[in-house]
């Protein structure tokens, strides 16, 4: 992981100036040395406990024996090492057992695990679950549930989707009814009985921890006894697998949460993916069916509370996609540097008497490697930039906090979806470089592709993120978030114009930014949402490409400040990746934005019978 470490250090310290965060009160006990120590620890655990077992967890899938889920021993050991490292609570207050580590460093440190084996652990869900409880739960819920997730005793999930309602959360059917006349007086929160089914629940059941804390979306019936229609009727509940007391001790009672079965996936096979039945009566509690759950926040504000977790999860999924893309890049780079095949073509054609060339010497292989590098390292920079905005939102001046909030609103759909699409393409190119061997399980690149394919669906599909971007984020608050982003991009353009080698790229980016602005206005020219959103995905692709071009240009500005002659090989590689992106990728936005500007309805209006 030496290449990843050097890339992270450049992005953190030379580009994002992460060390400057130590001047802020919350991070005042930290220094470059403590940041590096965290990176050292995570890099070591990932190398020793995760990477050697990536293939193991892919081939030895979770099994359900009717009573419990069986996982390979390496999964337990990896989870234990991660929990003991303190990374589950890295960003939390000291009082919660945390390190008060900047989220920027937390995200960077966790990247080692994603690159080593994305499917061994589901630690992101536990941290995200606990963070949502910290943001919206009562003091007792924080102390009992969140604290025991942060210390590693318990794990956490997020239970949104249902068999009949995937991304359409307004259609969920899980019900929550008050549990007795004294339901509001329970010390752990207003107590309800939940009944319903939840599908695609990652880490929904296992024996890795002594308890599992489910965060469950459900609807509380209205005065007429019927669930309130739409998302406004959704509330959020803590539903532990095993019931606990106010001291966080297990009571010995099993909650009415049953594993109905495991889903067997294309990738991410090391993490259990489950169908859970809540309240079916398999494990009656206190003489009745219905899973006991404790209300988090106010009734009807479940999505508001859960979105605190989901937005964090979306950045994490973007990082997961990024690291799988980079893992494939590193593997195919190593293969290309060692695989002999073909010979140089001279004036007389190929000379069969000459030694074979390594495939990295072929221009098309270099093209595929550069594409992977541009996608992967560019996406890593973008996600770390978003993580830096999270720190700004939590610790900056009031003006900086507001700017960071709006920039994150606009950039989060891109940070999740762009890597999920283009780092998957990077994995496809890694297979191509390996040729026929890439299609076999003798090499890891086919697994990286399978693991990454899920990320376009995880935490809101590509299409949903695109509609969120064009339908809401670029319009919110009078378009102020988009204006702020354009201001940041123009600031980079102005700096780049002062460098002779970057001026042409700066002009190209300025023209691309203007194209996105014009397409945004044209998409909404009629005010018809059906027309505007018919081509939301091409808009997302173009928007993301402009953001990535800006990211690369800004990164190269940092390169030139450090190494003006670009004499260091790693810096020459960064400049080469930036050039590739501007020469090969950024010109693609014209076709994408053309259908957006024209509000092309070719897809939307084709009748079903025509298919």
């Amino acid at each position: 992981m030496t290449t990843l470490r050097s890339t992270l250090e450049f992005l953190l310290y030379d580009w994002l100036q992460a060390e400057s965060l130590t001047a802020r009160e919350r991070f005042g006990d930290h220094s470059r040395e403590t940041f590096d120590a965290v990176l050292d620890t995570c890099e070591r655990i990932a190398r020793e406990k995760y990477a050697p077992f990536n293939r193991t967890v892919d081939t030895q899938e979770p099994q359900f024996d009717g009573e419990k889920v069986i996982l390979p021993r390496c999964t337990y050991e990896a989870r234990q090492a991660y929990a003991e490292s303190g990374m589950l609570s890295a960003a939390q207050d000291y009082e919660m057992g945390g390190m008060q580590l900047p989220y920027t460093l937390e995200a960077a440190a966790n990247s080692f695990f994603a690159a080593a084996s994305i499917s061994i652990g589901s630690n992101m869900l536990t941290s995200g679950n606990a963070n949502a409880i910290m943001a919206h739960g009562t003091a007792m819920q924080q102390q009992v549930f969140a604290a025991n997730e942060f210390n590693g005793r318990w794990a956490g999930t997020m239970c949104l989707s249902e068999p009949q309602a995937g991304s359409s959360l307004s259609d969920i059917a899980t019900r929550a009814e008050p549990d007795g006349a004294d339901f509001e007086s329970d010390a752990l929160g207003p107590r309800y009985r939940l009944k319903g089914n939840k599908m695609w629940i990652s880490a929904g059941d296992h024996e890795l921890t002594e308890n599992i804390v489910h965060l469950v979306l459900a609807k509380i019936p209205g005065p007429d006894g019927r669930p309130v229609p739409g998302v406004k009727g959704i509330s959020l509940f803590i539903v532990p697998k095993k019931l606990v007391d106010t001291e966080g001790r297990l009571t010995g009672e099993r909650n009415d949460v049953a594993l109905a079965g495991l889903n067997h996936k294309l990738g991410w096979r090391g993490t259990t993916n489950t169908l859970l039945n809540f309240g079916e009566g398999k494990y009656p509690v206190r003489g009745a069916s219905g899973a006991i759950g404790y209300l988090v926040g106010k009734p009807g504000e479940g999505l508001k509370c859960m979105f605190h977790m989901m937005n964090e999860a979306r950045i994490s999924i973007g990082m997961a996609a990024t690291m799988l893309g980079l893992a494939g890049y590193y593997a195919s780079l190593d293969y290309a540097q060692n695989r002999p095949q073909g010979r140089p073509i001279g004036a007389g054609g190929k000379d069969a008497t000459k030694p074979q060339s390594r495939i990295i010497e072929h221009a098309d292989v270099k093209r595929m490697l550069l594409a992977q590098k541009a996608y992967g390292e560019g996406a890593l920079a973008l996600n770390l930039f978003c993580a830096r905005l999270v720190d700004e939102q939590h610790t900056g001046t009031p003006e900086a906090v507001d700017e960071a909030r709006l920039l994150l609103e606009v950039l989060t759909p891109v940070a999740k979806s762009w890597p999920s699409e283009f780092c998957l393409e990077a994995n496809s190119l890694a297979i191509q470089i390996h040729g026929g061997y890439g299609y076999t399980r003798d090499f890891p690149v086919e697994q990286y592709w399978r693991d990454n394919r899920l990320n376009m669906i995880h935490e809101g599909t590509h299409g949903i993120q695109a509609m969120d971007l064009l339908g809401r984020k670029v319009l919110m608050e009078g378009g102020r978030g988009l204006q702020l982003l354009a201001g940041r991009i123009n600031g980079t353009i102005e700096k780049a114009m002062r460098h002779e080698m970057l001026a042409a790229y700066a002009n190209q980016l300025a023209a691309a930014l203007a194209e996105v602005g014009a397409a945004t206005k044209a998409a909404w020219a009629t005010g018809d949402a059906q027309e505007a959103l018919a081509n939301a995905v091409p808009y997302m692709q173009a928007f993301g490409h402009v953001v990535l071009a800006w990211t690369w240009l800004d990164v190269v500005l940092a390169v030139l400040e450090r190494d003006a002659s670009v004499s260091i090989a790693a810096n020459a590689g960064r400049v080469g990746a930036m050039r590739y992106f501007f020469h090969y990728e950024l010109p693609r936005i014209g076709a994408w934005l053309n259908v957006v500007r024209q509000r092309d309805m070719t897809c939307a209006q084709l009748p079903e019978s025509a298919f």
Side-chain angles (χ1 to χ4, degrees), residues 518-585:
T520 306
K521 291 178 182 177
W524 287 103
T526 64
D528 185 332
Q530 294 291 332
E531 289 186 354
L533 299 179
N535 295 290
V537 167
Y539 179 85
M540 165 73 86
Q541 291 167 314
F543 194 101
H545 263 51
V546 171
V547 168
L548 265 291
W550 162 56
T551 301
W552 267 117
L553 191 60
D554 207 62
V555 165
V556 169
L557 281 170
V559 166
L560 295 180
E561 287 179 11
R562 174 183 173 183
D563 179 19
S565 63
V566 195
S567 57
I568 300 172
N571 289 338
R574 294 181 183 107
V575 172
M578 183 272 294
R579 285 175 171 157
Y580 170 86
F581 201 88
F582 275 83
H583 292 178
Y584 288 78
E585 295 291 333

Side-chain angles (χ1 to χ4, degrees), residues 129-398:
N129 175 307
N131 285 339
I133 294 173
M134 290 299 296
H136 302 287
T138 65
M140 178 67 74
Q141 289 172 342
Q142 293 171 7
Q143 194 59 45
V144 172
F145 297 105
N148 281 306
E149 291 182 81
F150 285 137
N151 67 26
R153 282 182 64 203
W154 302 346
T157 73
M158 52 193 299
C159 300
L160 291 78
S161 298
E162 298 183 2
Q164 83 293 341
S167 300
S168 182
L169 295 179
S170 63
D171 295 319
I172 65 172
T174 300
R175 293 169 62 100
E177 299 188 354
D179 182 36
D182 65 341
F183 80 99
E184 290 185 297
S185 63
D186 197 302
L188 292 175
R191 188 181 64 250
Y192 287 75
R193 292 272 184 164
L194 278 71
K195 294 185 178 182
N197 315 102
K198 293 293 180 178
M199 184 60 143
W200 313 119
I201 309 306
S202 295
D205 202 2
H206 53 73
E207 302 296 318
L208 295 171
T209 53
E210 70 174 29
N211 205 1
I212 300 173
V213 179
H214 302 293
L215 276 182
V216 184
L217 291 182
K219 291 187 176 182
I220 300 172
D224 61 358
R226 297 178 179 179
V228 178
V231 297
K232 292 182 179 179
I234 297 175
S235 300
L236 182 64
F237 300 87
I238 293 170
V239 184
K241 176 181 177 180
K242 301 174 183 177
L243 296 179
V244 302
D245 63 19
T246 56
E247 299 298 318
R249 296 175 299 218
L250 302 185
T251 66
E253 298 173 284
R254 171 73 186 261
N255 206 354
D256 197 5
V257 182
L259 174 63
L262 298 176
N263 297 307
H264 298 282
K265 302 170 296 178
L266 178 74
W268 283 61
R269 292 175 174 174
T271 300
T272 56
N273 190 275
T274 63
L275 169 60
L276 297 178
N277 292 341
F278 291 83
E280 69 174 358
K282 183 174 182 178
Y283 303 103
V285 185
R286 298 164 193 172
S289 62
I292 289 180
Y294 306 99
L295 181 69
V296 178
K298 297 178 181 178
E301 295 189 357
L303 277 187
K304 174 185 174 183
C305 298
M306 187 66 96
F307 267 109
H308 182 277
M309 181 180 181
M310 288 172 67
N311 285 331
E312 178 184 313
R314 283 169 178 165
I315 294 175
S316 296
I317 289 300
M319 184 66 88
T322 296
M323 299 320 300
L324 283 164
L326 282 173
Y329 165 59
Y330 298 144
S332 61
L333 174 61
D334 179 71
Y335 185 83
Q337 289 172 328
N338 291 284
R339 166 70 173 179
Q341 188 167 303
R343 289 172 174 80
I345 299 177
K350 292 182 181 179
D351 185 348
T353 64
K354 294 285 181 68
Q356 287 183 304
S357 302
R358 292 171 304 132
I359 63 172
I360 196 171
E361 297 172 43
H362 301 308
D364 194 55
V365 172
K366 288 185 176 180
R367 175 190 64 81
M368 291 187 283
L369 289 169
L370 259 178
Q372 293 179 72
K373 183 179 179 70
Y375 296 155
E377 291 185 10
L380 177 59
L382 172 61
N383 275 278
L384 289 177
F385 175 74
C386 288
R388 182 70 171 77
L389 287 176
V390 171
D391 286 323
E392 201 64 42
Q393 191 176 8
H394 291 161
T395 63
T397 64

Side-chain angles (χ1 to χ4, degrees), residues 3-64:
T3 302
L4 174 58
R5 179 63 181 266
S6 63
T7 300
L8 285 172
E9 289 181 348
F10 177 86
L11 293 174
L12 288 172
Y13 302 127
D14 293 285
W15 183 50
L16 292 174
Q17 305 297 315
E19 196 173 353
S20 67
L21 289 168
T22 60
R24 301 183 180 186
E25 182 179 357
R26 179 169 182 79
F27 310 126
D29 292 338
H30 286 290
S31 64
R32 169 73 183 261
E33 286 70 30
T34 65
F35 289 168
D36 284 345
V38 171
L39 295 177
D40 288 342
T41 298
C42 292
E43 186 176 16
R44 176 183 56 78
I45 296 172
R47 182 177 62 250
E48 295 175 358
K49 300 293 186 180
Y50 282 68
F53 307 105
N54 190 44
R55 180 62 77 187
T56 302
V57 298
D58 186 62
T59 56
Q60 297 180 26
E61 294 185 62
Q63 300 294 319
F64 180 44

Side-chain angles (χ1 to χ4, degrees), residues 55 331-332 334-336 338-341 356 359 427-450:
R55 180 62 77 187
S332 61
D334 179 71
Y335 185 83
N338 291 284
R339 166 70 173 179
Q341 188 167 303
Q356 287 183 304
I359 63 172
N427 290 135
S428 181
L429 292 171
I431 292 173
Q432 190 71 17
I433 286 172
H434 280 73
Y437 288 110
Y439 197 65
T440 71
R441 292 195 175 190
D442 298 317
F443 291 84
V445 288
E446 60 84 27
Q447 183 184 343
Y448 294 142
W449 187 93
R450 286 188 289 105

